Amino acid sequence: MKIATTRTCPVLGGTLASVDDREARRIPGVREIIPLKDAVAVIGDHTWAAIQGARALKVEWNFGDNARLSSEQIEQALRDAADRDGALATDEGDIDAALDGVDTQIEAEYEMPFLAHAALEPMSCVAQVRVDACELWVGTQVPVMAQQAAAKVSGLPPEKVIVNNQLIGGAFGRRLEVDFIAQAVDIARNVFYPVKLIWTREEDTTHDLYRPHYLDRFRAGLDGNGLPVGWSHTIVGGSVMARFSPQALGENGLDPDAIEISAKPIYHLPNLRVRYVPEDPVALRVSWWRGVGQLHGAYVVEGFIDELAIAAEQDPVDYRLRLLQDQPRAQAVLRLAAEKAGWGQTLPDGHGRGVAVHQVFGSYLATVVELATTPQGGLRINRLICAVDCGLALNPTSVRSQIEGGTLFGLSAALFNEVTVKDGHVQQSNFHDYRQIRISDAPPSKFT
């Protein structure tokens, strides 16, 4: 077996124009240099030779139609799309009459950026293509799709593709995709030996399939008691389901992933309208990111609930409890988290608390975060309290690991993560500019 790595066109849809590989071939351990449609692969005796060889290549690209795309253009496309009708996800009561009949109306808008998966193991796959078979050794969440992708590239029937599924060194949804598997097979069909393709961190970050960039617009009316009498929510963003599993789309292109949480909030909200407007990004591909649809839905819904509580001049926990009148399990986790956090106790200057609660996958979870400002103008997480009701827990240690891991991943996204585009290129490339939460940033861990 030899080791391969690639340099792939940094703009989606671009192609290879030319490559000067003379310097790369002088590096000890470099064995093969293979031009592909949109990439160049370097095969070496070991990882270092392959990486050094790839860095030594002088490559010219045809960037294509996406060469001038920017984050600002993508954002403007979402804003323009927000004025379209889209597909109705929920339409209960008479929202127009409800909003016309109240004096207090609140509007808010939220944006969530593209996010990379940033698993510690970059994309990797071992492939061998023989005359009579193609064999893979790969960690994949979709073995059948891996088999189909390898068959398509190798030209062999699917039954001639053997998939040896391996443990995954992190994925968070990234290994639901098979682009790196197809590339490994494309390389391996040019040689007679097995090839282990390993992407560098830079290739992994700049050629990810990203969590969609979302734009959410809300409008609500409040009665004399500060409670919502009408709630309108417009969701705009790329559809993962339309690409990954189009047969699962609802009527009029309704993506069940994009509307999760939002279409059926746990709160008592009479006169509810939720609509989804698909707007797929140019020059980036979107996919599921840890927690999938509920991650997006819970954030925006809880953010707007806070805005309503502020407008009603009511405590955020008490306000939620009033709207959770038919949700005893949600009330229970919210009360428990608030109690453990000391909600209502006076905090020092420069400190603050936030709260959120939601239901997903049959579980209920409430979180309270206590923050403090730093002298440098940043934020420090003093405490983070989670209360979860997941029903019968056969393995409490696994529950704890999931909650801790998901919480830290979510904090990374909230505090640090964002993928931006300039001239068709993803600008982030490694952990120096796509930072993950560090031990010094994390709150202390205690489990009861």
Side-chain angles (χ1 to χ4, degrees):
M1 184 182 75
K2 303 298 182 184
I3 306 297
T5 195
T6 55
R7 283 180 59 183
T8 301
C9 184
V11 179
L12 185 66
T15 57
L16 176 65
S18 65
V19 58
D20 180 348
D21 61 11
R22 288 173 291 181
E23 291 297 323
R25 291 188 181 277
R26 294 191 182 102
I27 293 173
V30 169
R31 293 294 175 184
E32 303 280 353
I33 296 175
I34 301 173
L36 306 173
K37 179 182 178 182
D38 61 350
V40 183
V42 178
I43 300 176
D45 289 334
H46 46 76
T47 306
W48 188 237
I51 291 176
Q52 289 294 91
R55 288 175 178 170
L57 295 172
K58 295 180 174 62
V59 185
E60 297 291 333
W61 305 104
N62 293 317
F63 289 135
D65 296 338
N66 298 324
R68 297 186 180 277
L69 188 76
S70 67
S71 290
E72 292 75 17
Q73 291 172 306
I74 294 172
E75 179 181 334
Q76 188 58 52
L78 292 177
R79 295 187 177 281
D80 293 342
D83 295 327
R84 302 201 303 260
D85 289 337
L88 275 177
T90 307
D91 193 15
E92 299 173 353
D94 190 338
I95 182 69
D96 296 323
L99 293 178
D100 288 342
V102 294
D103 294 329
T104 302
Q105 293 195 20
I106 310 298
E107 295 184 6
E109 185 175 279
Y110 302 89
E111 274 192 77
M112 298 182 73
F114 294 111
L115 295 178
H117 292 85
L120 286 180
E121 178 194 23
M123 295 300 98
S124 56
C125 175
V126 177
Q128 183 176 25
V129 179
R130 303 187 295 269
V131 174
D132 60 339
C134 173
E135 190 161 5
L136 307 175
W137 293 262
V138 61
T140 176
Q141 296 170 261
V142 284
V144 171
M145 294 181 68
Q147 183 185 49
Q148 293 169 342
K152 182 177 180 180
V153 175
S154 68
L156 294 165
E159 61 269 20
K160 294 294 185 179
V161 177
I162 305 162
V163 180
N164 301 287
N165 205 0
Q166 309 295 300
L167 295 175
I168 293 172
F172 318 124
R174 179 61 177 94
R175 288 180 179 266
L176 286 165
E177 306 298 338
V178 296
D179 54 325
F180 63 100
I181 297 172
Q183 189 179 68
V185 175
D186 200 14
I187 298 166
R189 68 191 181 96
N190 290 278
V191 296
F192 63 88
Y193 44 80
V195 174
K196 181 178 182 179
L197 171 65
I198 306 175
W199 283 5
T200 63
R201 174 66 56 195
E202 289 76 14
E203 286 290 293
D204 192 64
T205 303
T206 56
H207 294 86
D208 203 348
L209 284 84
Y210 305 93
R211 197 281 306 273
H213 181 166
Y214 286 106
L215 174 69
D216 289 74
R217 286 180 176 172
F218 287 88
R219 183 182 175 203
L222 304 182
D223 64 16
N225 296 316
L227 299 179
V229 296
W231 173 290
S232 174
H233 180 189
T234 297
I235 304 161
V236 188
S239 173
V240 178
M241 197 70 77
R243 179 189 60 81
F244 192 88
S245 183
Q247 67 274 15
L249 288 178
E251 187 177 353
N252 299 325
L254 190 62
D255 186 329
D257 179 68
I259 63 171
E260 191 171 5
I261 300 291
S262 303
K264 295 182 179 180
I266 57 174
Y267 299 106
H268 178 69
L269 299 172
N271 303 305
L272 173 66
R273 179 184 293 162
V274 180
R275 64 190 182 99
Y276 169 62
V277 183
E279 179 64 23
D280 290 317
V282 177
L284 291 181
R285 300 168 298 172
V286 296
S287 187
W288 286 299
W289 191 90
R290 184 171 182 170
V292 294
Q294 61 89 16
L295 175 84
H296 155 246
Y299 170 72
V300 296
V301 168
E302 288 301 288
F304 194 52
I305 285 288
D306 268 343
E307 303 218 33
L308 299 189
I310 292 169
E313 298 182 346
Q314 296 183 27
D315 176 86
V317 170
D318 293 339
Y319 192 76
R320 283 173 168 81
L321 289 171
R322 294 179 70 185
L323 295 176
L324 292 170
Q325 54 192 267
D326 302 322
Q327 299 284 349
R329 293 176 68 188
Q331 286 186 331
V333 292
L334 179 57
R335 286 195 174 100
L336 180 60
E339 175 192 338
K340 296 296 184 182
W343 189 272
Q345 297 176 6
T346 302
L347 291 171
D349 290 343
H351 290 239
R353 293 190 188 98
V355 62
V357 60
H358 76 288
Q359 181 272 330
V360 68
F361 306 138
S363 297
Y364 292 78
L365 186 138
T367 300
V368 176
V369 180
E370 183 181 315
L371 297 172
T373 56
T374 66
Q376 297 77 25
L379 293 173
R380 183 181 70 251
I381 303 167
N382 280 357
R383 289 199 303 160
L384 190 149
I385 295 91
C386 290
V388 59
D389 171 7
C390 59
L392 178 62
L394 296 179
N395 187 341
T397 301
S398 179
V399 175
R400 173 180 178 172
S401 296
Q402 284 294 314
I403 298 303
E404 288 184 348
T407 295
L408 293 172
F409 216 70
L411 287 172
S412 292
L415 295 171
F416 307 121
N417 295 168
E418 180 181 21
V419 167
T420 56
V421 180
K422 182 178 180 181
D423 295 329
H425 296 57
V426 170
Q427 295 182 281
Q428 292 69 33
S429 63
N430 208 317
F431 290 132
H432 72 287
D433 54 8
Y434 193 80
R435 180 182 164 186
Q436 300 301 294
I437 196 166
R438 300 167 183 162
I439 291 175
S440 59
D441 304 314
S445 175
K446 182 180 179 182
F447 184 72
T448 59

mmCIF file of all heavy atoms in Angstrom, residues 7-14 38 61 63 203 206-207 283-284 423-426:
data_model
loop_
_atom_site.group_PDB
_atom_site.id
_atom_site.type_symbol
_atom_site.label_atom_id
_atom_site.label_comp_id
_atom_site.label_asym_id
_atom_site.label_seq_id
_atom_site.Cartn_x
_atom_site.Cartn_y
_atom_site.Cartn_z
ATOM 1 N N ARG A 7 -4.373 17.792 -4.141
ATOM 2 C CA ARG A 7 -4.706 19.222 -4.199
ATOM 3 C C ARG A 7 -5.871 19.347 -5.161
ATOM 4 O O ARG A 7 -5.739 19.047 -6.351
ATOM 5 C CB ARG A 7 -3.504 20.042 -4.658
ATOM 6 C CG ARG A 7 -2.475 20.250 -3.554
ATOM 7 C CD ARG A 7 -1.302 21.056 -4.033
ATOM 8 N NE ARG A 7 -1.695 22.382 -4.523
ATOM 9 C CZ ARG A 7 -0.831 23.249 -5.054
ATOM 10 N NH1 ARG A 7 0.449 22.916 -5.175
ATOM 11 N NH2 ARG A 7 -1.246 24.426 -5.475
ATOM 12 N N THR A 8 -7.003 19.748 -4.618
ATOM 13 C CA THR A 8 -8.231 19.842 -5.401
ATOM 14 C C THR A 8 -8.545 21.307 -5.663
ATOM 15 O O THR A 8 -8.254 22.173 -4.827
ATOM 16 C CB THR A 8 -9.396 19.173 -4.644
ATOM 17 O OG1 THR A 8 -9.056 17.800 -4.404
ATOM 18 C CG2 THR A 8 -10.689 19.235 -5.432
ATOM 19 N N CYS A 9 -9.137 21.587 -6.793
ATOM 20 C CA CYS A 9 -9.476 22.969 -7.150
ATOM 21 C C CYS A 9 -10.219 23.647 -5.999
ATOM 22 O O CYS A 9 -11.210 23.114 -5.504
ATOM 23 C CB CYS A 9 -10.332 22.993 -8.413
ATOM 24 S SG CYS A 9 -10.708 24.673 -8.976
ATOM 25 N N PRO A 10 -9.755 24.803 -5.558
ATOM 26 C CA PRO A 10 -10.374 25.446 -4.400
ATOM 27 C C PRO A 10 -11.731 26.076 -4.667
ATOM 28 O O PRO A 10 -12.397 26.517 -3.727
ATOM 29 C CB PRO A 10 -9.356 26.511 -3.998
ATOM 30 C CG PRO A 10 -8.594 26.806 -5.251
ATOM 31 C CD PRO A 10 -8.545 25.518 -6.010
ATOM 32 N N VAL A 11 -12.152 26.113 -5.915
ATOM 33 C CA VAL A 11 -13.466 26.660 -6.260
ATOM 34 C C VAL A 11 -14.329 25.532 -6.809
ATOM 35 O O VAL A 11 -13.932 24.850 -7.767
ATOM 36 C CB VAL A 11 -13.351 27.798 -7.298
ATOM 37 C CG1 VAL A 11 -14.740 28.325 -7.664
ATOM 38 C CG2 VAL A 11 -12.470 28.917 -6.759
ATOM 39 N N LEU A 12 -15.487 25.325 -6.208
ATOM 40 C CA LEU A 12 -16.378 24.256 -6.642
ATOM 41 C C LEU A 12 -16.793 24.475 -8.095
ATOM 42 O O LEU A 12 -17.213 25.574 -8.475
ATOM 43 C CB LEU A 12 -17.623 24.217 -5.748
ATOM 44 C CG LEU A 12 -18.589 23.059 -6.006
ATOM 45 C CD1 LEU A 12 -17.944 21.729 -5.667
ATOM 46 C CD2 LEU A 12 -19.878 23.244 -5.203
ATOM 47 N N GLY A 13 -16.674 23.430 -8.898
ATOM 48 C CA GLY A 13 -17.001 23.521 -10.317
ATOM 49 C C GLY A 13 -15.805 23.826 -11.189
ATOM 50 O O GLY A 13 -15.898 23.745 -12.422
ATOM 51 N N GLY A 14 -14.670 24.163 -10.572
ATOM 52 C CA GLY A 14 -13.467 24.432 -11.347
ATOM 53 C C GLY A 14 -12.791 23.146 -11.802
ATOM 54 O O GLY A 14 -13.105 22.047 -11.328
ATOM 55 N N ASP A 38 -10.481 17.587 -11.546
ATOM 56 C CA ASP A 38 -10.465 18.821 -10.762
ATOM 57 C C ASP A 38 -9.420 18.784 -9.652
ATOM 58 O O ASP A 38 -9.516 19.522 -8.662
ATOM 59 C CB ASP A 38 -11.841 19.092 -10.160
ATOM 60 C CG ASP A 38 -12.289 17.988 -9.211
ATOM 61 O OD1 ASP A 38 -11.634 16.926 -9.164
ATOM 62 O OD2 ASP A 38 -13.309 18.178 -8.508
ATOM 63 N N TRP A 61 -5.449 26.478 -12.383
ATOM 64 C CA TRP A 61 -6.838 26.021 -12.368
ATOM 65 C C TRP A 61 -7.690 26.844 -13.308
ATOM 66 O O TRP A 61 -7.431 28.040 -13.513
ATOM 67 C CB TRP A 61 -7.440 26.141 -10.966
ATOM 68 C CG TRP A 61 -6.691 25.461 -9.867
ATOM 69 C CD1 TRP A 61 -5.906 26.055 -8.919
ATOM 70 C CD2 TRP A 61 -6.658 24.051 -9.581
ATOM 71 N NE1 TRP A 61 -5.393 25.109 -8.070
ATOM 72 C CE2 TRP A 61 -5.829 23.875 -8.449
ATOM 73 C CE3 TRP A 61 -7.241 22.933 -10.180
ATOM 74 C CZ2 TRP A 61 -5.578 22.631 -7.896
ATOM 75 C CZ3 TRP A 61 -6.997 21.686 -9.633
ATOM 76 C CH2 TRP A 61 -6.174 21.538 -8.509
ATOM 77 N N PHE A 63 -11.026 28.226 -12.783
ATOM 78 C CA PHE A 63 -11.946 28.364 -11.657
ATOM 79 C C PHE A 63 -13.410 28.328 -12.072
ATOM 80 O O PHE A 63 -14.288 27.992 -11.270
ATOM 81 C CB PHE A 63 -11.661 29.657 -10.892
ATOM 82 C CG PHE A 63 -10.381 29.624 -10.111
ATOM 83 C CD1 PHE A 63 -9.507 30.699 -10.150
ATOM 84 C CD2 PHE A 63 -10.029 28.518 -9.352
ATOM 85 C CE1 PHE A 63 -8.319 30.680 -9.432
ATOM 86 C CE2 PHE A 63 -8.848 28.483 -8.632
ATOM 87 C CZ PHE A 63 -7.986 29.571 -8.678
ATOM 88 N N GLU A 203 -7.194 20.701 2.994
ATOM 89 C CA GLU A 203 -8.117 20.152 2.005
ATOM 90 C C GLU A 203 -9.454 19.805 2.645
ATOM 91 O O GLU A 203 -10.522 20.020 2.066
ATOM 92 C CB GLU A 203 -7.504 18.899 1.363
ATOM 93 C CG GLU A 203 -6.381 19.169 0.387
ATOM 94 C CD GLU A 203 -6.859 19.817 -0.891
ATOM 95 O OE1 GLU A 203 -7.584 19.177 -1.673
ATOM 96 O OE2 GLU A 203 -6.506 20.992 -1.116
ATOM 97 N N THR A 206 -11.466 23.137 3.446
ATOM 98 C CA THR A 206 -11.888 23.930 2.291
ATOM 99 C C THR A 206 -12.726 23.147 1.287
ATOM 100 O O THR A 206 -13.275 23.740 0.356
ATOM 101 C CB THR A 206 -10.662 24.518 1.564
ATOM 102 O OG1 THR A 206 -9.771 23.450 1.196
ATOM 103 C CG2 THR A 206 -9.923 25.494 2.463
ATOM 104 N N HIS A 207 -12.845 21.821 1.470
ATOM 105 C CA HIS A 207 -13.657 21.013 0.557
ATOM 106 C C HIS A 207 -14.712 20.206 1.317
ATOM 107 O O HIS A 207 -15.094 19.110 0.906
ATOM 108 C CB HIS A 207 -12.764 20.081 -0.274
ATOM 109 C CG HIS A 207 -11.859 20.822 -1.206
ATOM 110 N ND1 HIS A 207 -10.633 21.312 -0.815
ATOM 111 C CD2 HIS A 207 -12.015 21.180 -2.500
ATOM 112 C CE1 HIS A 207 -10.070 21.939 -1.836
ATOM 113 N NE2 HIS A 207 -10.889 21.868 -2.877
ATOM 114 N N ALA A 283 -21.470 27.536 -5.277
ATOM 115 C CA ALA A 283 -20.050 27.286 -5.000
ATOM 116 C C ALA A 283 -19.775 26.619 -3.656
ATOM 117 O O ALA A 283 -18.620 26.450 -3.285
ATOM 118 C CB ALA A 283 -19.226 28.576 -5.096
ATOM 119 N N LEU A 284 -20.802 26.244 -2.929
ATOM 120 C CA LEU A 284 -20.628 25.437 -1.725
ATOM 121 C C LEU A 284 -21.688 24.341 -1.733
ATOM 122 O O LEU A 284 -22.815 24.563 -2.180
ATOM 123 C CB LEU A 284 -20.775 26.264 -0.448
ATOM 124 C CG LEU A 284 -19.699 27.295 -0.125
ATOM 125 C CD1 LEU A 284 -20.017 27.978 1.195
ATOM 126 C CD2 LEU A 284 -18.325 26.673 -0.069
ATOM 127 N N ASP A 423 -14.019 35.277 -3.517
ATOM 128 C CA ASP A 423 -13.579 34.847 -4.853
ATOM 129 C C ASP A 423 -13.768 33.347 -5.058
ATOM 130 O O ASP A 423 -12.922 32.660 -5.649
ATOM 131 C CB ASP A 423 -12.114 35.225 -5.087
ATOM 132 C CG ASP A 423 -11.905 36.727 -5.111
ATOM 133 O OD1 ASP A 423 -12.835 37.448 -5.521
ATOM 134 O OD2 ASP A 423 -10.819 37.190 -4.703
ATOM 135 N N GLY A 424 -14.877 32.817 -4.544
ATOM 136 C CA GLY A 424 -15.199 31.408 -4.714
ATOM 137 C C GLY A 424 -14.457 30.472 -3.793
ATOM 138 O O GLY A 424 -14.745 29.274 -3.768
ATOM 139 N N HIS A 425 -13.479 30.986 -3.028
ATOM 140 C CA HIS A 425 -12.652 30.173 -2.140
ATOM 141 C C HIS A 425 -13.200 30.216 -0.714
ATOM 142 O O HIS A 425 -13.551 31.292 -0.215
ATOM 143 C CB HIS A 425 -11.210 30.700 -2.089
ATOM 144 C CG HIS A 425 -10.466 30.623 -3.376
ATOM 145 N ND1 HIS A 425 -10.900 31.213 -4.550
ATOM 146 C CD2 HIS A 425 -9.268 30.043 -3.674
ATOM 147 C CE1 HIS A 425 -10.011 30.990 -5.506
ATOM 148 N NE2 HIS A 425 -9.017 30.283 -5.001
ATOM 149 N N VAL A 426 -13.227 29.082 -0.044
ATOM 150 C CA VAL A 426 -13.465 29.069 1.399
ATOM 151 C C VAL A 426 -12.222 29.651 2.066
ATOM 152 O O VAL A 426 -11.094 29.233 1.791
ATOM 153 C CB VAL A 426 -13.735 27.637 1.908
ATOM 154 C CG1 VAL A 426 -13.734 27.587 3.425
ATOM 155 C CG2 VAL A 426 -15.069 27.146 1.367
#
